Amino acid sequence: MVLTGRESLIRLIGKRRRFLPNRLSILSDPIPNPNHQPEQQQPSTPGDNLQNDAVQCPICSLTLPSDNHRINTHLDSCLSQPKLSGTNRKRKLTQQTLLQLNFTRPDPHVPDHTLQKCLQFTESPIADKDSVIITTESSPLSSEFTPIDTNHHDIVDNVDDKCDVFEVKLETMIVGRRYADQEEICAGDKVSLLRDSQNVKDPNAIKVVSVDSGCSKFLGYLPRELAQYLSPLIDNYDIVFQGHVTSDPKHSRDAVPIQIMCHRTPDGESKSKDETFKCLWKNAQHAVESAIKNPSSVKYQLNFCLIIQEALKNNIHLLTEDEKTYIESFTSLSNDSQRLFIRIYTRKGPWFRMSSISYPEILDIQKAVKELAEKEYICTVEDGNQLCESDMNDILDVLTVSELREILCFLLKKSCGHGMKKQDLISSILSTCAGLWPHLSKMILDRTGFCIKISSKAESLIWRIERLFFLNGEQDLSSFLLVDIGKIKYPTYTCTILEPIFSNRMDLLAFEEAIEVAQVMDEALDANKTDMVLRCIKIAESRVSAVLPIQYSTSKTVSTFHHLFTASWVYSKVVTLGISFLEQERRYSDAIDLLKLLQNVFTCDVKRGYWALRLSVDLEHLGYIDESLQVAENALLDQWVRAGSRMALQRRVLRLGKPPRRWKVPSFSKSVLRKIPEVYVQGRPLNSELGAKNRFYNEEGNQCGVEELALDYYAAEGWQGVHTESGIWLTIFGLLMWDVIYADVPNVFHTRFQNAPLDLGTDSFYTARASIIESHLQQIHEGMAEEFLIMSWETHYGTSCRGVNWDRHSLDELRAAVTCVRGSCLASFCKLLCEDYRSWSSGMPDLLLWRFCGEYSGEAKLVEVKGPKDRLSEQQRAWLLMLMDCGFTIEVCKVKPL
């Protein structure tokens, strides 16, 4: 049985962490009783405070670790909350209880997050340099620009009034040689710059062409760090750049050093007095100087440093002074040390043999290791006495199978281990050597030699930095590489940040701890450790019970995307998965308690429909029919109960509420019990095993599924179509609504690696764009859908957009589908997804069919295919009925064996 919510939890966790700072407390600390009401806090002496490992907040009674910064931040947050009528808020704070904690003062170095920061993220440029460009727009609240590293591409300030442009020499390179004409380049060859504004990867691209050859051979590109500033000078100020090659390249595709110069033109000199011109020129010079200072940086190193710099710039309020100093020290490390750390951090590990570490771009490995160890970025071990018991399993994994077998044979004094897998050998060695760790450590290190691993301090902080940068656990440094090689191209959008994702450090730490609990539970499910799964459920339950009612009752944005970055939301995912686990174990009473807790706490969540449905079903399992019916009826009054869950609950009410239990027929009965047209197709079955996927023989005698059999049946009636389920419809939605999805809305774009706004799966997506959505839908209703489709396809082909599959469906297929589906139907469908993408992005019918009645008109049909002993799910039934309401032609095709 597949546990409901497991896939969602795995996506939330992302890449599993090797080191969990709170793992020990998660595994061993007592779990707070969620029903326990804390007694009035007694005044304590200073001596008591020194002995305790935790303190209790005098306002909300939450137990906090003895971390001054976390305590002070939490107290500030509690005191800033509006007063409630609950008993927790009525507690009087005496002078003694308040003096037990210190109040934090605003840090003058923390940036004001009410200032507007606008960043326009462009589609990925030329693949020879960094992956993404950021062009900055001036904020209406700040007219000055701040100087920053070249990777940040912000315009520098303090522009001199005298801006020498003409005849100034700039030292740069020709890159992107693999795209160029195969022209031999020699020192002294003359070159000129030519704009390439139609470049699909970089609108700022500048070509370097040969002047000596009469046909102007294309030699390569200008580095984009420089091109982003020179391109507007060429476009808007009639500036001409020419130069020459300064040295011969060693290989045909190597970067070629050149020297370029800005030449005078009739209009260029007068325009050079413009302030924008001066800013662009100064930044071009800054880009050249930075490239000269750090010529040997490799791409992954620059990208990693960019992550660190942006985290320090945008999330400084979330880091302690020690963390800021520690992470800033990374930039002072040598190139070799930085590269070695990044290489090791991105590998599986955790332990690595020094003898097996070798990278061509790292010149002195030994020196880099020493520097990283001094700065506490790595841990080293060369003596068996340095190894602790907890490291044994990890460092044994470094050994080869033959080395492990050799150790096991030595321990058992006999030949053994042949045919055993690596993990089995490790388990056998650990069980044989229990209590003899020093002896085992020596045997291991005799074979491995000097070993290193990332320190827990560095790993925890870099994980936090990556999470803040990408805002999810699925993306990491490899995202830059995927863009560099052209595997992924992200869309163009403007990032307007008015408020941070995490307002304070306490919220961030709570979110991180919740992610840890989720990972521990996921690992426990993999290892089939029932006790640990139940412990994680209890921890999540206690956190939900103790913290969430206050947070959710005072938050004004619980229905927006902000709640997706709270500890409470993560714990709700853990509890939801736990409910499915308990139901599988037939512990329905425990599942009911958790379902009631979630419903009481999360009053604004689209999962309320699923929780109500499971609560009604579990109550029926225990024989409480009346209560089960009451839960279903009450849930139908809830605006957050939607889509398939609403349909399932309505059908439960009709089934359970028959006379004499209920005499009145519900108003929705006719709608729910509507007849969905059905057709029957016969096929010769290949198998009829229960639970196995149905396979049949078609008319040609080839094996096929029920969907292919249905397509053959409809093809005989003149229909064309595809088996796609929700895929083609999400692609159509993404292409038709592209400009709406990537509209300039504050706070929904925070990173350069987003394929959708953060609020796409929330109610706020529609409310924040209501006017432009309605205007766009009106145009679709009036017949503009095909034009929107073609425009998006031609403009954004290959760009990553949530739901859009460029490879599975051709433009001809999409155009045919959009042409044959009426504009009114398309507009209704798109509005449905705009209002509730999360609920309606799955469960669409299997087949989309169309046939033309003329050159520019046709008809379409949506078909759900069901094999023998298969029936419609509630989500599928809800979709079919909703599509019928939208005007679509719907049909259920049932395949029967001959």
Side-chain angles (χ1 to χ4, degrees):
M1 176 180 177
V2 178
L3 295 176
T4 302
R6 180 79 187 275
E7 290 185 6
S8 178
L9 194 74
I10 291 173
R11 287 195 301 270
L12 177 63
I13 297 167
K15 182 181 178 181
R16 284 183 181 176
R17 300 174 64 180
R18 291 175 295 205
F19 172 74
L20 297 179
N22 298 299
R23 183 187 289 273
L24 184 60
S25 62
I26 292 171
L27 298 179
S28 58
D29 284 359
I31 301 173
N33 184 353
N35 300 318
H36 174 67
Q37 295 295 330
E39 299 178 0
Q40 180 68 33
Q41 184 171 348
Q42 298 297 325
S44 58
T45 64
D48 293 333
N49 286 334
L50 292 175
Q51 296 175 356
N52 292 337
D53 292 331
V55 295
Q56 190 178 61
C57 174
I59 301 173
C60 66
S61 302
L62 181 66
T63 301
L64 299 169
S66 55
D67 178 350
N68 288 337
H69 187 278
R70 183 169 180 179
I71 294 170
N72 295 338
T73 306
H74 172 80
L75 185 58
D76 287 347
S77 176
C78 281
L79 291 175
S80 65
Q81 298 284 359
K83 290 185 178 181
L84 303 176
S85 58
T87 57
N88 285 340
R89 288 291 179 184
K90 290 182 178 180
R91 296 183 58 198
K92 293 183 179 180
L93 299 180
T94 65
Q95 183 182 23
Q96 177 67 25
T97 57
L98 285 176
L99 287 178
Q100 290 171 5
L101 303 174
N102 296 320
F103 294 96
T104 56
R105 296 180 179 178
D107 189 344
H109 301 291
V110 175
D112 184 359
H113 293 285
T114 62
L115 295 180
Q116 181 177 7
K117 182 181 73 172
C118 299
L119 300 174
Q120 184 174 354
F121 299 155
T122 70
E123 295 181 1
S124 55
I126 306 166
D128 285 80
K129 298 300 290 179
D130 295 339
S131 57
V132 196
I133 262 184
I134 303 180
T135 58
T136 58
E137 302 171 354
S138 59
S139 167
L141 301 179
S142 177
S143 59
E144 295 185 355
F145 298 96
T146 56
I148 197 166
D149 187 89
T150 310
N151 296 319
H152 279 229
H153 309 300
D154 286 319
I155 298 180
V156 299
D157 58 358
N158 301 323
V159 178
D160 298 333
D161 292 333
K162 295 181 180 180
C163 187
D164 295 329
V165 176
F166 303 106
E167 310 304 328
V168 175
K169 298 176 182 179
L170 299 177
E171 303 287 343
T172 184
M173 310 282 284
I174 304 176
V175 298
R177 290 283 292 144
R178 67 174 178 269
Y179 301 109
D181 301 327
Q182 292 303 311
E183 178 82 359
E184 184 178 348
I185 300 179
C186 301
D189 289 351
K190 293 183 179 180
V191 298
S192 64
L193 304 186
L194 181 65
R195 279 285 283 119
D196 185 13
S197 56
Q198 301 302 315
N199 191 301
V200 296
K201 292 186 176 180
D202 182 10
N204 293 315
I206 297 178
K207 287 182 177 181
V208 182
V209 297
S210 171
V211 175
D212 291 332
S213 58
C215 55
S216 297
K217 290 280 188 175
F218 168 45
L219 304 179
Y221 290 97
L222 214 61
R224 69 173 143 195
E225 293 88 355
L226 179 59
Q228 63 175 314
Y229 301 122
L230 295 189
S231 58
L233 291 177
I234 296 173
D235 293 340
N236 304 324
Y237 296 95
D238 301 323
I239 299 300
V240 175
F241 288 92
Q242 292 182 343
H244 65 276
V245 176
T246 57
S247 63
D248 298 341
K250 293 182 179 179
H251 303 285
S252 60
R253 292 191 177 185
D254 284 354
V256 181
I258 60 172
Q259 186 182 88
I260 59 174
M261 213 167 31
C262 177
H263 292 273
R264 298 176 186 273
T265 60
D267 296 330
E269 189 166 358
S270 60
K271 292 181 178 179
S272 67
K273 298 178 181 179
D274 182 79
E275 289 300 320
T276 303
F277 181 98
K278 294 177 182 179
C279 288
L280 290 168
W281 178 250
K282 285 295 182 182
N283 278 274
Q285 290 180 308
H286 180 69
V288 170
E289 292 169 1
S290 297
I292 294 173
K293 290 178 182 178
N294 195 15
S296 58
S297 293
V298 292
K299 203 173 298 183
Y300 69 80
Q301 181 184 358
L302 292 173
N303 293 336
F304 191 82
C305 290
L306 175 63
I307 292 176
I308 291 176
Q309 289 163 355
E310 289 209 359
L312 289 174
K313 179 181 178 183
N314 303 328
N315 302 284
I316 198 73
H317 64 295
L318 301 176
L319 304 174
T320 64
E321 289 300 325
D322 288 342
E323 288 172 341
K324 283 182 265 184
T325 302
Y326 181 74
I327 200 63
E328 285 170 353
S329 69
F330 184 85
T331 58
S332 65
L333 295 173
S334 65
N335 280 332
D336 281 352
S337 296
Q338 290 185 12
R339 294 168 189 171
L340 179 60
F341 176 82
I342 299 167
R343 284 286 198 175
I344 295 175
Y345 179 77
T346 53
R347 287 175 59 179
K348 183 180 179 182
W351 285 99
F352 303 92
R353 299 187 190 198
M354 273 296 296
S355 58
S356 65
I357 297 177
S358 176
Y359 300 105
E361 72 275 17
I362 302 176
L363 304 178
D364 192 337
I365 295 277
Q366 299 294 337
K367 186 177 179 181
V369 168
K370 183 178 180 181
E371 186 178 9
L372 288 171
E374 289 174 352
K375 297 290 186 179
E376 298 182 5
Y377 279 94
I378 64 171
C379 300
T380 63
V381 59
E382 55 185 334
D383 183 355
N385 294 327
Q386 295 176 280
L387 276 177
C388 59
E389 180 180 342
S390 59
D391 289 324
M392 287 299 174
N393 186 73
D394 290 333
I395 204 164
L396 279 169
D397 196 48
V398 174
L399 298 172
T400 64
V401 171
S402 59
E403 290 171 331
L404 290 169
R405 190 183 301 120
E406 182 183 337
I407 292 177
L408 184 60
C409 291
F410 179 82
L411 293 172
L412 297 178
K413 307 298 183 184
K414 63 179 181 178
S415 178
C416 61
H418 295 284
M420 293 178 66
K421 294 182 179 180
K422 188 172 186 178
Q423 289 304 319
D424 295 332
L425 286 168
I426 292 174
S427 299
S428 298
I429 291 172
L430 291 175
S431 60
T432 304
C433 249
L436 302 174
W437 306 125
H439 182 55
L440 179 59
S441 300
K442 185 177 184 306
M443 286 194 293
I444 294 172
L445 292 178
D446 285 344
R447 290 162 176 79
T448 63
F450 190 73
C451 291
I452 63 174
K453 74 170 183 177
I454 299 293
S455 68
S456 57
K457 180 179 180 181
E459 187 160 349
S460 296
L461 191 53
I462 297 300
W463 180 88
R464 176 177 299 162
I465 295 294
E466 277 193 324
R467 194 93 189 193
L468 290 172
F469 184 85
F470 293 107
L471 294 180
N472 63 69
E474 297 181 286
Q475 292 176 307
D476 54 22
L477 194 61
S478 62
S479 298
F480 285 93
L481 176 62
L482 293 174
V483 175
D484 285 340
I485 64 177
K487 198 73 174 177
I488 296 180
K489 181 170 60 175
Y490 288 95
T492 301
Y493 46 76
T494 300
C495 176
T496 306
I497 303 175
L498 301 180
E499 56 185 21
I501 295 293
F502 298 98
S503 58
N504 56 66
R505 181 177 172 84
M506 184 189 69
D507 290 344
L508 174 63
L509 295 178
F511 179 76
E512 290 181 358
E513 185 177 357
I515 295 291
E516 290 186 48
V517 173
Q519 179 175 325
V520 171
M521 182 174 186
D522 187 46
E523 293 171 349
L525 287 171
D526 280 345
N528 199 26
K529 296 181 179 179
T530 301
D531 291 344
M532 186 51 59
V533 172
L534 295 176
R535 179 176 179 82
C536 290
I537 295 172
K538 283 293 184 182
I539 292 174
E541 178 189 7
S542 67
R543 300 290 194 274
V544 168
S545 301
V547 180
L548 290 187
I550 296 176
Q551 291 182 350
Y552 263 67
S553 59
T554 60
S555 175
K556 298 179 181 178
T557 59
V558 291
S559 61
T560 70
F561 70 89
H562 288 88
H563 78 284
L564 304 179
F565 298 95
T566 61
S568 56
W569 188 75
V570 179
Y571 286 127
S572 74
K573 291 281 188 180
V574 175
V575 174
T576 299
L577 176 58
I579 290 167
S580 183
F581 176 81
L582 293 172
E583 289 175 335
Q584 181 176 311
E585 299 289 316
R586 300 185 182 276
R587 297 174 58 169
Y588 298 118
S589 296
D590 293 335
I592 287 171
D593 292 339
L594 292 178
L595 286 164
K596 289 180 177 180
L597 171 65
L598 291 176
Q599 286 199 310
N600 291 336
V601 170
F602 297 93
T603 57
C604 303
D605 197 305
V606 293
K607 292 294 291 182
R608 288 180 61 81
Y610 170 77
W611 296 333
L613 177 61
R614 297 315 308 169
L615 178 57
S616 179
V617 170
D618 290 344
L619 286 169
E620 185 179 8
H621 281 315
L622 296 180
Y624 302 124
I625 306 300
D626 290 336
E627 191 174 347
S628 173
L629 175 59
Q630 188 65 53
V631 166
E633 290 175 332
N634 292 340
L636 294 178
L637 304 177
D638 189 342
Q639 62 168 331
W640 293 95
V641 176
R642 304 168 180 174
S645 297
R646 174 168 287 274
M647 174 67 61
L649 287 164
Q650 288 174 337
R651 290 168 61 82
R652 286 190 66 78
V653 169
L654 293 177
R655 181 174 64 82
L656 298 177
K658 295 177 180 179
R661 190 170 284 112
R662 295 288 189 273
W663 291 96
K664 185 178 179 180
V665 179
S667 58
F668 53 78
S669 60
K670 290 184 179 180
S671 175
V672 173
L673 299 177
R674 276 181 293 173
K675 181 73 174 176
I676 299 175
E678 296 179 352
V679 296
Y680 294 90
V681 176
Q682 289 187 328
R684 186 158 56 94
L686 173 66
N687 66 328
S688 56
E689 297 176 11
L690 187 63
K693 185 173 178 63
N694 294 297
R695 301 290 295 174
F696 289 83
Y697 291 106
N698 59 16
E699 293 182 359
E700 289 76 25
N702 299 322
Q703 296 182 22
C704 65
V706 291
E707 295 83 6
E708 289 75 15
L709 201 65
L711 283 174
D712 290 342
Y713 166 80
Y714 285 106
E717 298 182 353
W719 292 95
Q720 302 177 59
V722 290
H723 170 217
T724 178
E725 299 179 1
S726 299
I728 193 170
W729 289 106
L730 295 183
T731 296
I732 290 174
F733 172 78
L735 295 177
L736 294 184
M737 306 298 291
W738 191 285
D739 292 340
V740 172
I741 293 172
Y742 299 105
D744 295 346
V745 176
N747 297 317
V748 297
F749 292 107
H750 279 250
T751 83
R752 67 196 62 191
F753 297 102
Q754 291 180 226
N755 62 8
L758 294 174
D759 64 345
L760 179 58
T762 68
D763 287 17
S764 64
F765 179 83
Y766 179 84
T767 56
R769 304 165 181 81
S771 59
I772 59 174
I773 287 176
E774 291 300 331
S775 174
H776 201 74
L777 292 178
Q778 183 60 34
Q779 295 180 70
I780 292 175
H781 188 277
E782 294 171 357
M784 293 287 289
E786 187 177 6
E787 184 175 336
F788 289 152
L789 183 82
I790 296 172
M791 186 183 305
S792 293
W793 183 278
E794 293 179 346
T795 306
H796 307 293
Y797 181 80
T799 302
S800 179
C801 174
R802 185 172 301 167
V804 176
N805 190 326
W806 299 100
D807 300 324
R808 186 171 182 182
H809 308 289
S810 66
L811 179 58
D812 290 338
E813 281 183 349
L814 297 172
R815 288 183 63 184
V818 168
T819 300
C820 293
V821 176
R822 296 191 302 275
S824 58
C825 297
L826 286 173
S828 299
F829 163 76
C830 289
K831 184 173 183 178
L832 200 64
L833 286 183
C834 285
E835 291 177 334
D836 192 359
Y837 189 91
R838 186 178 173 189
S839 296
W840 293 108
S841 57
S842 62
M844 286 286 284
D846 295 310
L847 308 182
L848 170 59
L849 307 173
W850 64 83
R851 61 184 176 190
F852 287 94
C853 303
E855 189 174 357
Y856 298 106
S857 63
E859 59 178 330
K861 179 186 293 187
L862 280 76
V863 179
E864 183 67 42
V865 184
K866 291 297 174 187
K869 303 178 182 178
D870 197 4
R871 62 179 184 177
L872 293 173
S873 70
E874 300 301 345
Q875 178 75 358
Q876 290 169 339
R877 185 177 294 276
W879 251 124
L880 293 173
L881 295 179
M882 179 60 71
L883 290 170
M884 289 173 65
D885 293 337
C886 292
F888 285 89
T889 301
I890 301 298
E891 206 164 73
V892 176
C893 178
K894 294 187 175 181
V895 178
K896 289 189 173 183
L898 289 172

